[in-house]
C-alpha cells in the first residue's frame, strides 16, 4: 500500500472539476503540464488564465522531499518558523554524506560515525515535526521517491535540483531551495512563474544499444544547458509510451541539465506496471479512474505546435548512443569514430580509467540489469576489464533485489566495486585521490547527470563523459573513450577477436521486488516532547540567526567582490565534495564561497583584489574584510549564473558574508529564486555588453533603490578608480511579495512575522 494514499485520492477527487474549469477559462485543450498546474492552485479552482513566462502563481504542492545535505539548512530554517508540524507530507533522505571509497559496508560504517551528529540531528528534527526519515544506506532520494511517493498528476517540490526525476511517474516535480520548502512546510503557498511549455514528440522505438539516457543527451545537445530555462518539458508520442517508467525517470532527471523547471510524461501502461510492481496497486487503481486527466487532451498531442511554445521531434529508431562531455552535459558526441576525431583535436585522454554506474539518474533495476548483461558477456567472452568499475544501486530495494537475482554478483566477478546505495561520486563524494587538485589528466565515463570540472573527484583534470549504463559498462571493459560496441572488436585472453552482443535486461524484476529493511523510520504521532539539541561548539551544525534587511544607504559605495568569467555554477559558488560536511553550519561553509569562480581580471580562482588594502587574496577572506568594515559588495557574472544544483547555500553564504547584490547576464531559475528568498538583489544587465564596463576597482551606487518596484529597472552608477563614471540600467523580476522579502531581510522573516501575528 502506498504512503499517503488518502492525500493522493484527495488530489484525484478534485482533479476533474479543476481541470474542466481550467479548460473552460483557457478556452482550448490542455497539456498535461497545464492540467497539473491548474489543479494545484493555492486558491483551488482556477479563476483566470495565466500568461506563460510572465505571471507569478501561488501553488499548493502535495509533498516535499529533502536530501541530507540540503535538509540541514531547510530544517534549521523551519525550526524558526514557529510551527509544531509540517503542513504537507515531507521526507528526509540521507544519501549525500556517504563517501565512496572502500565499498558499501565500510563506507556506510564510516559515514555513520563521521556524520553521526548530522544524522542524529536530522532524525530528531524529523521525529519532532512529523517528517518521514530514510536512514543512511536506504537509497538515493530520487530513486526512493520514484519507488514510494511519486504518483501521476501530483505536484511535489524537493530541495535538490533532480527532484524532477519524479516526472517519470507523471508528476510535476520541481527542485527548489530550502526556503521554498520551508514555505510549504509551514502551510504557505509556493510561488512560481507560470512556466513556458516545450513539447518533445518521440516517434519510433528504442532498440539495440540505444537507451532512454540517449534521449535526454540528445535533448541536451539541442537545447543546451540553458535552453529549457523557465519551461516544463513534456514528452509524448508513441515512442514515449514505449519507454519504461524508470527510463522516463532518467529522461526527466537530466532535464535539470537543460535548465528546465521540470519534465514529465503522460500516464500510461508502463507507469501502471511500475506502480503495481512497487506495491502501489491502490495508486494505480485510483489513477485509472481519472486517467484522461493524467495526460494531455487528445488534440494537444495531435497538433502540438498549437499548444507548446516549442516542439522538438526525435525519432528513436534513428537515435544512436551518445557521450556528452567533458565539463558540460550538453556537448554531445556519437559513440565511436566521431569521438576519436574530437578527442584527438581537443586533446582529451582516450584511455578511460573508470566507469561509474548509478546515481539518481540511472540506478534502477532495469539499468543495472542491462549493464550487467554487458558485464556477463565480458566474463563469457574472456575479456578483462581495462578500466575500473563502480556501482551505486539506487535504493536498498533495488540493491537487495539485484543481489538476489545475481546481478551484483556479475559485477563483482569483474572486480567491480559496489558502493553504498547513495550518491557517492555523482556529487563529489568519492575518495579517489589523496590530493585531487594535483591529480593527473584522465578520462572517466559515467551514467550520472553532471560532469562539471571537479564534480566527481575534485580533480580539475578529470574529463567526465555522460553515457547510458550499458555504454558505460562496455567502454569500461574496453578502456577506450572511442570504443564503439556496435562495431568494434576486442581481443580476449585467448587472443581472439570478440564483439559484444546487444544489451538485454528487464524493465522490472521477473520475481518481483524484495527487501528486508528498506531503511524508513516513521515519525512519532506527537513529537512535541522531542528535543533537538545543537552543540554551540559544533563545526557541523549552527542554529541560524535571522538576516538583517539591507538598508538603502548600504547600497551606496558597494564594492566589487568578483567579476566571474564564463561558467559559474552552484559548484563554483559553493562546492560540494569535502565541503558537504559543513552544510549545516553557515559560517563554516561560507569559507568556500565563490572559491571556484574564475576572476575575469587574472583568470585565477579564489584570487581577488581587496580594494581596502590593494592586496590579492581569497574571495571569502576579502569579503570578510569588507564585512568587518561595514561595506556591502556585489558579484558580477556571465550567462546562466547559478546553473546546477538547487543548493541555497550558494545564496545564503554570500548573504551571510555581506554580499548585497548579484548582477549577471542571465540566471538559472532556482538560484535567482534563492537569492530573492535570502533578501538579496538578483539583477540582470539591461544591456549585456555593460558587463565589459565593469573594472576591478569599481564602486557601485544604487541610485534609485528607494523606488524599487515590479517591472521597473534600477539605475546603477559605476564609479571607476580614476573617478570616471558609467550609469547603466539593470533589470529584475521581483514582484511585490518578493520585494517584501528584500525589505524584511528574507522570506523567512516574513513567514515568522505572519506566524506570530
Amino acid at each position: 500500500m502506498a504512503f499517503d494514499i488518502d492525500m493522493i485520492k484527495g488530489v484525484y477527487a478534485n482533479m476533474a472539476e479543476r481541470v474542466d474549469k481550467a479548460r473552460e477559462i483557457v478556452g482550448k485543450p490542455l497539456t498535461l503540464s497545464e492540467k497539473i498546474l491548474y489543479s494545484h492552485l493555492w486558491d483551488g479552482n482556477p479563476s483566470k488564465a495565466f500568461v506563460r513566462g510572465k505571471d507569478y502563481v501561488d501553488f499548493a504542492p502535495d509533498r516535499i522531499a529533502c536530501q541530507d545535505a540540503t535538509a540541514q539548512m531547510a530544517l534549521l530554517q523551519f525550526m524558526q518558523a514557529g510551527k509544531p508540524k509540517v503542513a504537507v507530507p515531507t521526507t528526509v533522505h540521507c544519501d549525500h554524506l556517504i563517501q565512496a571509497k572502500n565499498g558499501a559496508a565500510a563506507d556506510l560504517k564510516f559515514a555513520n560515525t563521521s556524520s553521526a551528529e548530522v544524522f542524529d540531528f536530522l532524525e530528531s528534527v524529523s521525529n519532532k515535526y512529523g517528517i518521514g526519515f530514510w536512514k543512511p544506506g536506504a537509497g538515493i532520494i530520487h530513486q526512493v521517491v520514484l519507488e514510494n511517493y511519486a504518483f501521476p498528476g501530483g505536484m511535489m517540490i524537493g530541495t535538490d535540483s533532480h527532484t524532477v526525476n519524479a516526472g517519470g511517474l507523471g508528476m510535476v516535480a520541481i527542485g527548489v531551495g530550502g526556503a521554498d520548502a520551508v514555505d510549504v512546510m509551514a502551510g504557505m503557498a509556493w510561488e512560481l512563474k507560470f512556466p513556458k511549455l516545450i513539447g518533445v514528440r518521440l516517434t519510433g522505438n528504442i532498440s539495440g544499444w540505444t537507451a532512454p539516457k540517449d534521449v535526454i543527451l540528445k535533448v541536451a545537445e539541442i537545447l543546451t544547458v540553458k535552453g529549457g530555462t523557465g519551461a516544463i518539458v513534456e514528452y509524448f508520442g508513441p515512442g514515449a509510451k514505449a519507454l519504461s517508467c524508470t527510463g522516463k525517470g532518467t529522461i526527466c532527471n537530466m532535464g535539470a541539465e537543460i535548465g528546465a523547471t521540470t519534465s514529465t510524461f503522460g500516464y500510461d501502461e508502463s507507469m501502471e506496471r511500475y506502480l503495481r510492481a512497487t506495491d502501489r496497486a491502490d495508486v494505480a487503481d485510483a489513477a485509472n479512474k481519472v486517467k484522461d486527466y493524467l495526460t494531455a487532451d487528445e488534440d494537444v498531442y495531435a497538433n502540438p505546435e498549437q499548444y507548446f511554445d516549442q516542439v522538438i521531434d526525435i525519432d528513436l529508431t534513428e537515435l544512436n548512443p551518445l557521450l556528452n562531455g567533458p565539463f558540460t552535459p550538453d556537448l554531445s558526441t556519437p559513440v565511436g569514430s566521431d569521438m576519436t576525431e574530437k578527442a584527438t583535436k581537443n586533446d582529451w585522454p582516450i584511455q578511460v580509467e573508470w566507469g561509474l554506474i548509478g546515481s539518481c539518474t540511472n540506478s534502477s533495476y532495469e539499468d543495472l540489469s542491462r549493464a550487467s548483461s554487458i558485464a556477463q558477456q565480458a566474463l563469457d567472452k574472456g575479456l578483462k576489464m581495462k578500466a575500473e568499475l563502480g556501482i551505486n544501486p539506487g535504493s536498498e530495494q533495488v540493491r537487495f533485489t539485484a543481489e538476489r537475482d545475481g546481478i551484483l554478483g556479475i559485477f563483482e566477478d569483474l572486480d567491480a566495486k559496489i558502493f553504498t546505495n547513495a550518491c557517492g561520486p555523482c556529487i563529489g563524494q568519492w575518495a579517489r585521490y589523496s590530493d585531487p587538485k594535483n591529480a593527473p589528466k584522465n578520462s572517466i565515463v559515467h551514467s550520472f547527470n553532471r560532469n562539471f570540472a571537479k564534480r566527481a573527484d575534485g580533480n580539475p583534470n578529470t574529463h567526465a563523459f555522460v553515457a547510458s549504463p550499458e555504454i558505460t559498462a562496455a567502454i569500461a571493459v574496453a578502456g577506450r573513450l572511442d570504443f564503439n560496441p556496435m562495431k568494434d572488436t576486442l581481443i580476449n585472453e585467448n587472443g581472439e577477436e570478440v564483439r559484444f552482443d546487444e544489451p538485454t535486461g528487464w524493465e522490472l524484476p521477473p520475481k518481483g521486488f524484495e527487501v528486508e529493511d528498506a531503511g524508513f523510520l516513521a515519525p512519532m504521532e506527537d513529537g512535541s516532547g522531542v528535543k533537538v539539541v545543537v552543540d554551540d561548539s559544533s563545526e557541523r551544525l549552527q542554529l541560524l540567526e535571522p538576516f538583517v534587511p539591507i538598508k538603502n544607504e548600504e547600497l551606496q559605495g558597494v564594492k566589487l567582490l568578483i567579476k566571474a568569467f564564463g561558467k559559474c555554477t552552484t559548484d563554483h559558488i559553493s562546492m560540494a565534495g569535502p565541503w558537504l560536511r559543513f552544510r549545516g553550519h553557515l559560517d563554516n561553509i561560507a569559507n568556500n564561497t565563490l572559491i571556484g569562480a574564475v576572476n575575469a581580471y587574472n583568470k585565477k580562482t579564489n584570487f581577488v583584489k581587496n580594494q581596502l588594502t590593494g592586496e590579492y587574496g581569497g574571495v571569502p577572506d576579502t569579503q570578510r574584510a569588507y564585512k568587518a568594515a561595514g561595506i556591502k559588495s556585489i558579484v558580477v557574472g556571465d550567462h546562466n549564473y547559478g546553473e546546477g544544483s538547487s543548493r541555497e547555500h550558494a545564496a545564503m553564504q554570500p548573504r551571510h558574508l555581506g554580499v548585497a547584490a548579484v548582477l549577471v547576464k542571465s540566471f538559472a531559475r532556482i538560484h535567482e529564486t534563492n537569492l530573492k528568498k535570502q533578501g538579496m538583489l538578483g539583477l540582470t544587465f539591461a544591456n549585456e555588453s555593460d558587463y565589459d564596463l565593469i573594472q576591478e576597482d569599481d564602486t557601485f551606487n544604487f541610485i534609485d533603490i528607494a523606488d524599487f518596484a515590479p517591472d521597473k529597472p534600477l539605475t546603477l552608477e559605476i564609479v571607476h578608480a580614476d573617478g570616471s563614471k558609467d550609469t547603466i540600467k539593470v533589470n529584475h523580476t521581483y514582484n511585490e511579495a518578493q520585494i517584501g522579502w528584500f525589505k524584511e531581510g528574507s522570506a523567512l522573516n516574513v513567514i515568522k512575522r505572519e506566524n506570530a501575528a
Side-chain angles (χ1 to χ4, degrees):
M1 181 174 174
F3 288 95
D4 310 308
I5 184 62
D6 290 337
M7 176 271 285
I8 295 170
K9 289 180 177 178
V11 171
Y12 291 160
N14 292 323
M15 183 160 277
E17 179 184 359
R18 293 182 178 183
V19 169
D20 289 346
K21 185 65 176 176
R23 191 185 296 110
E24 176 187 327
I25 290 172
V26 173
K28 61 180 181 180
L30 299 177
T31 64
L32 167 65
S33 304
E34 289 171 310
K35 289 181 179 182
I36 298 175
L37 293 170
Y38 277 107
S39 65
H40 283 83
L41 298 176
W42 179 255
D43 292 331
N45 279 342
S47 59
K48 63 170 288 189
F50 296 107
V51 180
R52 298 176 191 171
K54 182 177 181 181
D55 287 343
Y56 282 92
V57 182
D58 286 341
F59 291 103
D62 301 313
R63 68 176 312 112
I64 298 168
C66 309
Q67 40 94 335
D68 49 350
T70 53
Q72 296 172 63
M73 198 58 70
L75 294 180
L76 285 165
Q77 292 178 87
F78 181 73
M79 288 169 65
Q80 296 187 55
K83 291 286 187 178
K85 200 169 187 177
V86 291
V88 302
T90 302
T91 51
V92 166
H93 304 257
C94 296
D95 61 356
H96 274 56
L97 300 180
I98 304 169
Q99 189 179 56
K101 184 177 182 180
N102 297 313
D107 294 345
L108 182 57
K109 182 179 179 181
F110 179 78
N112 277 325
T113 300
S114 61
S115 292
E117 178 186 13
V118 174
F119 294 148
D120 289 347
F121 166 75
L122 293 174
E123 183 178 340
S124 65
V125 174
S126 297
N127 216 4
K128 183 173 182 67
Y129 294 109
I131 298 169
F133 182 75
W134 290 82
K135 298 183 293 186
I140 305 172
I141 175 173
H142 310 303
Q143 180 65 28
V144 172
V145 166
L146 197 70
E147 292 176 10
N148 295 277
Y149 299 112
F151 66 97
M155 173 184 277
M156 71 175 288
I157 59 173
T159 60
D160 187 284
S161 54
H162 293 105
T163 299
V164 295
N165 188 83
L169 249 176
M171 293 195 89
V172 162
I174 300 174
V176 299
D180 277 349
V182 170
D183 286 355
V184 180
M185 288 181 196
M188 300 179 70
W190 172 63
E191 184 187 68
L192 177 73
K193 184 183 287 186
F194 203 84
K196 293 185 177 181
L197 300 177
I198 298 174
V200 179
R201 177 167 43 201
L202 302 179
T203 55
N205 283 290
I206 277 181
S207 62
W209 284 91
T210 307
K213 185 60 161 271
D214 297 304
V215 176
I216 186 58
L217 295 181
K218 185 65 176 179
V219 171
E221 175 191 354
I222 294 169
L223 288 176
T224 76
V225 292
K226 61 181 180 179
T229 302
I232 293 179
V233 181
E234 185 171 325
Y235 293 85
F236 63 94
K241 291 184 177 180
L243 297 171
S244 68
C245 181
T246 53
K248 292 177 170 73
T250 291
I251 292 169
C252 292
N253 183 296
M254 263 196 77
E257 274 54 69
I258 58 171
T261 301
T262 192
S263 305
T264 195
F265 286 78
Y267 178 60
D268 60 21
E269 292 179 359
S270 72
M271 295 184 191
E272 180 178 356
R273 289 194 297 271
Y274 188 74
L275 286 169
R276 297 190 186 281
T278 51
D279 197 27
R280 289 177 288 172
D282 46 356
V283 178
D285 291 341
N288 285 341
K289 294 177 182 177
V290 292
K291 62 182 180 181
D292 289 344
Y293 292 91
L294 302 178
T295 190
D297 290 335
E298 187 173 336
D299 193 57
V300 171
Y301 292 161
N303 301 287
E305 289 80 6
Q306 297 179 23
Y307 302 99
F308 292 98
D309 298 290
Q310 180 180 356
V311 176
I312 296 169
D313 279 288
I314 297 177
D315 185 344
L316 301 182
T317 306
E318 297 178 357
L319 185 64
N320 288 315
L322 299 169
L323 280 166
N324 281 29
F327 307 129
T328 186
D330 58 355
L331 179 57
S332 192
T333 305
V335 165
S337 58
D338 285 4
M339 179 59 76
T340 310
E341 179 182 347
K342 194 177 289 187
T344 301
K345 179 181 178 181
N346 293 285
D347 195 27
W348 299 338
I350 287 289
Q351 181 183 349
V352 172
E353 295 191 2
W354 271 88
L356 297 159
I357 295 169
S359 89
C360 60
T361 328
N362 281 109
S363 55
S364 67
Y365 184 90
E366 180 181 32
D367 292 323
L368 296 185
S369 70
R370 285 180 62 84
S372 72
S373 77
I374 303 303
Q376 184 64 61
Q377 288 187 59
L379 293 168
D380 295 342
K381 296 174 187 288
L383 293 168
K384 289 288 187 181
M385 295 288 300
K386 295 294 179 62
E388 295 188 72
L389 184 63
I391 310 291
N392 282 82
S395 69
E396 176 58 15
Q397 179 169 265
V398 165
R399 188 211 65 79
F400 189 94
T401 307
E403 183 176 59
R404 179 201 68 189
D405 295 347
I407 288 174
L408 296 188
I410 295 170
F411 291 125
E412 289 171 328
D413 288 343
L414 276 179
D415 295 324
K417 191 164 286 187
I418 310 298
F419 293 124
T420 315
N421 313 319
C423 302
C426 183
I427 57 153
Q429 283 284 56
W430 186 20
R432 184 184 181 193
Y433 299 110
S434 58
D435 182 15
K437 291 182 180 179
N438 296 303
K441 186 175 180 178
N442 73 104
S443 288
I444 65 173
V445 175
H446 58 57
S447 68
F448 305 162
N449 38 45
R450 295 213 168 114
N451 58 349
F452 304 142
K454 300 187 278 188
R455 171 79 179 186
D457 57 13
N459 178 5
N461 298 309
T462 293
H463 293 55
F465 296 84
V466 183
S468 69
E470 44 268 62
I471 289 293
T472 298
I475 288 179
V477 174
R480 285 186 61 86
L481 191 61
D482 58 355
F483 176 66
N484 184 349
M486 296 178 288
K487 297 180 179 180
D488 297 344
T489 58
L490 297 170
I491 306 299
N492 69 7
E493 295 175 289
N494 300 320
E496 302 164 333
E497 284 194 10
V498 296
R499 179 179 292 166
F500 283 117
D501 300 319
E502 292 180 353
T504 59
W506 293 274
E507 176 185 352
L508 296 163
K511 293 187 287 185
F513 284 109
E514 188 177 351
V515 66
E516 288 183 350
D517 179 9
F520 175 71
L521 295 177
M524 296 173 62
E525 189 66 32
D526 179 7
S528 59
V530 176
K531 290 189 176 180
V532 180
V533 179
V534 174
D535 190 333
D536 290 341
S537 64
S538 172
E539 68 167 15
R540 300 287 300 271
L541 296 166
Q542 179 188 46
L543 294 176
L544 294 175
E545 294 290 334
F547 285 134
V548 176
I550 299 170
K551 299 175 182 177
N552 290 351
E553 54 266 30
E554 294 179 298
L555 290 169
Q556 314 306 319
V558 173
K559 298 293 186 184
L560 176 68
L561 175 61
I562 185 172
K563 178 180 174 180
F565 174 78
K567 187 185 286 285
C568 191
T569 72
T570 49
D571 277 354
H572 295 94
I573 305 166
S574 176
M575 290 184 178
W579 289 95
L580 284 173
R581 65 194 310 270
F582 299 124
R583 282 286 180 88
H585 196 294
L586 182 56
D587 193 56
N588 282 348
I589 198 170
N591 289 322
N592 81 359
T593 305
L594 286 157
I595 64 175
V598 176
N599 183 353
Y601 303 109
N602 54 28
K603 302 302 186 290
K604 295 181 179 180
T605 58
N606 202 29
F607 200 65
V608 296
K609 188 174 184 178
N610 181 334
Q611 293 189 41
L612 302 180
T613 65
E615 298 177 351
Y616 284 81
V619 181
D621 298 329
T622 303
Q623 180 53 40
R624 287 187 188 274
Y626 291 152
K627 182 178 182 179
I631 297 172
K632 296 297 183 185
S633 66
I634 186 171
V635 172
V636 174
D638 210 316
H639 276 298
N640 211 24
Y641 183 90
E643 168 194 351
S645 168
S646 69
R647 69 191 66 150
E648 65 189 316
H649 298 76
M652 293 185 76
Q653 291 170 218
R655 175 73 160 101
H656 171 69
L657 292 178
V659 175
V662 178
L663 172 61
V664 299
K665 293 180 181 178
S666 65
F667 281 109
R669 175 189 61 84
I670 299 176
H671 186 66
E672 182 182 23
T673 300
N674 285 345
L675 293 172
K676 293 178 179 181
K677 289 276 184 177
Q678 302 307 331
M680 299 173 70
L681 292 173
L683 309 169
T684 56
F685 290 101
N687 183 349
E688 289 184 4
S689 63
D690 287 344
Y691 171 91
D692 299 323
L693 296 175
I694 311 301
Q695 299 175 21
E696 192 170 25
D697 293 296
D698 281 350
T699 299
F700 299 78
N701 297 314
F702 288 75
I703 295 174
D704 52 0
I705 189 62
D707 301 322
F708 190 20
D711 302 317
K712 183 179 181 181
L714 290 171
T715 307
L716 198 55
E717 182 183 66
I718 309 168
V719 183
H720 305 300
D722 63 1
S724 62
K725 299 177 181 180
D726 284 298
T727 301
I728 65 172
K729 290 290 185 181
V730 295
N731 295 328
H732 66 84
T733 60
Y734 288 73
N735 57 30
E736 289 286 2
Q738 293 167 344
I739 291 174
W741 301 342
F742 174 74
K743 290 181 177 179
E744 294 209 33
S746 71
L748 184 58
N749 288 350
V750 175
I751 292 175
K752 289 174 65 177
R753 174 178 55 76
E754 292 176 351
N755 283 338

